[in-house]
Amino acid sequence: MPSTRTDPESQPIHVVIVEDDPGFRAALCQVVEAASDMRLAGTAGTRAEGLAMLQGPPVDVLLVDLGLPDGSGIDIIQAAALQWPSCSIMVSTNFGDETHVMRSIEAGAAGYLLKDSSPARMVEEIRSLASGGSPISPIIARQILARFRHDSADARAPAAAPASPLSAREKEVLDFITKGFTAHEIAGLMQVSHFTVRSFVRRIYSKLKVTSKAEAIYEARTLGLLDD
Amino acid sequence: MTYRPALANAVFVFSVALLIAVAIWYVEAGGNQPSKASMHLTQAEWQVTDAPGLSAPPPVMESKALPAAWRHVALPLALPPDTARQSGMNASPATGSNVRVTWIKLATPGPLIAAGPLAIYGVRIRTEGTIAVYANGQLVYRAQRQGPLWNSLFTPLWLVLDKRADDAPVSEILVRMEHAPPTRVALSSVWLGPAEALRGHYYLRQLLQREFPATLSAAFLTVGVFALFVWLKRRHDTDYLLFFNLAAVSFGGHLHYYVSLPITGGWFAWLTANALFWLIVVVHFFLCQLHGRALKGLTRAVTGITVLISVLTLPTVAILPVYPSPSVLVQVVYAIAVLMGAIVALVGGFCAWNRSREGWLVAAGVGICTLLGLSDWLQYANLIGPEGWFLGAYTNAVTFGTFGMLMYRRYVNAIGEVEQINASLAQRLQAREAELELSHQQLRKAELRQTISDERQRLMQDMHDGLGSSLISAIRSVEHGEISELKVSQILKGCLDDLKLTIDSMEPVEADLLLLLATLRFRLEPRLEGTGIALQWEVREVPTLPWLDPSSALHILRIVQESIANILHHTQASEIRVSTALAGAGVRVSIEDNGQGFDVEKTLGATAGRGLHNQRRRAQAIDSTVTWHSEARGTRFTLWLPLEREVQMPHPAQ
């Protein structure tokens, strides 16, 4: 988990953008450069360029599009999660639909950005992500709840996998989300700051990543792809 | 029980060895080597005297008291009928008397030294009157005091001489046989010797001629009764009834081999004689059934002869004489039986040759029985000597064996068939399962096709009503240059919102209305940003709606979307309140604003009310209702959704 920035003025947020649509890339670059607390550390238009950039110094936020001309952005997310562990990965998406977002989170993403968001919203999302928060939609919340409920109900869950069940408060947050409450409203209901609510979401995402990894290992073992 | 070959073989060998040991012990029980210790008397002298009637044998009689008209003969002997009259050797009244007494004198070649009591053994004495045996002039044995017994012919002569006080060796044995003039009397050769030495002979004869066939006959009847009970349970299996019938008729027809009752004619004679014919008829019918040919002529002949003979020999009719009448006709009747058996066997065997192995087996059985019967007939006709065997006693055993083998074949085949049926049943079940799986797959495919088709139709309809018409009006406006860039951007954003909600409607909401509303809020929130409108989210837990599939989800999303869009576009509201509550048998979704109201009736009547009509139409599609309550201080829109819908979607979402 990236360290929470206490003084955004002194240390700008370094951002890398991997996006093949030149129009949207330009709009993003503009948004980042316009923000006083952000620095654009680089851009890439293809999967290959994006992977090459991972060899360089790590940045704070990596914005990745899933549909790249030479492959899936998922590969970049997975590689970045390994090579830039401190980096917050954000996937840019048209619809924020469950399939794309869940796959990205399982690969190591910490959040997503809707492409039709207003510039102000975009800056806010990048800033929130860099400070350790994560966005979530009601449908994603329901999916995650279902996923963990399924895991804990499943007696065959692999003993080797440290299935990290959600804490009561994490579950509470997800429940509120599925009922349509915003992070601010939930903060009020739970008497915490809305940053805390968003950092709960980040923690939930990381648990999902762990679970999905454990599941992958378990499945690979049962399929005989991995030695015990 | 598990099958262990070694154990099974051991049990088999033990059982067979036990039977053999018992048989050996039984035969040897009387001692062996009778020829060494005993005398075989094969030479005799005989004569016939007349008697006024049947009389009891005198207690003492020596050969010297009889006329000296002895004639030498070798044993076994079978005298032709009425020899006395033909020979004319004796001074007989010739016409007055109906009873002859045949005397046979056996001389012993020398004294016999024996420790134990002496015994006399012979295979058979055949006559219909009283039999008396004298040893040294003393009456030592009497039989057939009331005439012949049914089993006389099959019973060997066996008598043990008591130790007398004088202890004189047996020097003369005199046999006295009473009979009617036309009867052929017969005597087998006789053994004289220690009882211990001769008993083996006697037992073996007794066993093979009487006891063994009797046992088999009883066994046949027992199995027949078993078959009867099988038939009582399974009436359509007439084979079992036939088996019982065969057993019963056979038993009846062979009783005369074992019953030691005096022959008095009547019903028993009729039954036991005619049973032979019935047996042939039954077997003939069975054979026809096996080889499948009607053989009408033969069937008619066999049945006709049998009925005729059965009727004519009835004791009340008594046209034909009945065994053991000395009439020559009896022998003719038995000859007919033998002939009939032979024909049935030959024809049956010929017909069944390539058609039915079982038929052939039965025909062979009948053939063997006929041969056995023939030997009996030869015996009765005195064509073979009096030491022969009455093999007819074994026809029962052969019948039992034949039909037992048939039953055995059927039983083993039935077991095999059951096993085969079980195997094929499992196979068929498997095939059926595969078929079922295939049809199930096809059904699923068809269902999937239908679902896809429904879904396509739904999306087309939605695109046509919403996205499509919005884009077309935007294009037209842009082309006419009568629209600002901001307006175009707003229209396009609206289109994107429409699209997002369409996508959301396809996400799994698990019948959760709140999740659906939450999604809507999540989508619309960015549009509310900067409008200065506050959204009060006051939803309460409500029951899930089981009918909430993608199609109805989209209807609900569109209804609420339209309602919020109306507030944004047509009122100057500063606050929107969204709430949910349970209302009767449904759920109420309320959207209230504090903007200026509108005249609901008027708007619904005007073209501007198209949006309201769309909401109403969509609500009706999901059995729900929409209502507006508007006044100057604000409007309350209510969507009421039923908890249960009577008519489910034809293809509920999986």
Side-chain angles (χ1 to χ4, degrees), chain B residues 303-385:
Chain B
T303 319
I305 290 170
T306 302
V307 170
L308 193 69
I309 288 176
S310 298
V311 170
L312 293 181
T313 54
L314 272 173
T316 45
V317 180
I319 293 173
L320 280 180
V322 168
Y323 170 89
S325 156
S327 167
V328 183
L329 278 174
V330 171
Q331 282 171 19
V332 173
V333 168
Y334 273 91
I336 292 172
V338 170
L339 200 64
M340 233 166 78
I343 291 170
V344 165
L346 285 174
V347 175
F350 179 74
C351 288
W353 185 251
N354 275 328
R355 286 169 165 238
S356 160
R357 286 189 61 176
E358 292 189 341
W360 196 83
L361 182 73
V362 172
V366 175
I368 293 170
C369 286
T370 306
L371 289 177
L372 296 176
L374 183 66
S375 92
D376 266 24
W377 183 78
L378 292 173
Q379 284 278 354
Y380 282 120
N382 283 318
L383 292 177
I384 42 180

Side-chain angles (χ1 to χ4, degrees), chain A residues 95 116 121 142 180 185, chain B residues 500 512 521 523 529 537:
Chain A
F95 301 114
D116 66 328
R121 184 73 179 234
R142 169 56 57 92
E185 287 166 349
Chain B
K500 283 179 185 167
D512 188 348
R521 184 189 188 188
R523 290 306 189 192
E529 270 174 24
W537 197 253

Side-chain angles (χ1 to χ4, degrees), chain B residues 86 112 410 424 465 527 550:
Chain B
Q86 283 168 3
L112 189 74
R410 296 202 172 180
S424 84
D465 291 351
R527 305 289 167 250

Side-chain angles (χ1 to χ4, degrees), chain B residues 638-653:
Chain B
T638 310
L639 166 64
W640 181 87
L641 303 158
L643 287 177
E644 301 282 341
R645 275 176 70 191
E646 280 179 17
V647 184
Q648 284 285 329
M649 294 297 292
H651 298 287

Side-chain angles (χ1 to χ4, degrees), chain B residues 174-207:
Chain B
L174 188 63
V175 180
R176 175 186 189 270
M177 294 182 280
E178 280 184 328
H179 57 96
T183 308
R184 292 158 164 265
V185 296
L187 176 66
S188 65
S189 62
V190 172
W191 293 87
L192 174 67
E196 291 307 313
L198 287 175
R199 195 166 276 140
H201 270 289
Y202 169 63
Y203 277 0
L204 190 64
R205 188 85 195 185
Q206 184 84 341
L207 173 74

Side-chain angles (χ1 to χ4, degrees), chain A residues 142 144-154, chain B residues 510:
Chain A
R142 169 56 57 92
I144 293 171
L145 276 173
R147 180 79 59 91
F148 282 114
R149 193 163 51 230
H150 173 76
D151 281 356
S152 57
D154 190 357
Chain B
E510 293 169 13

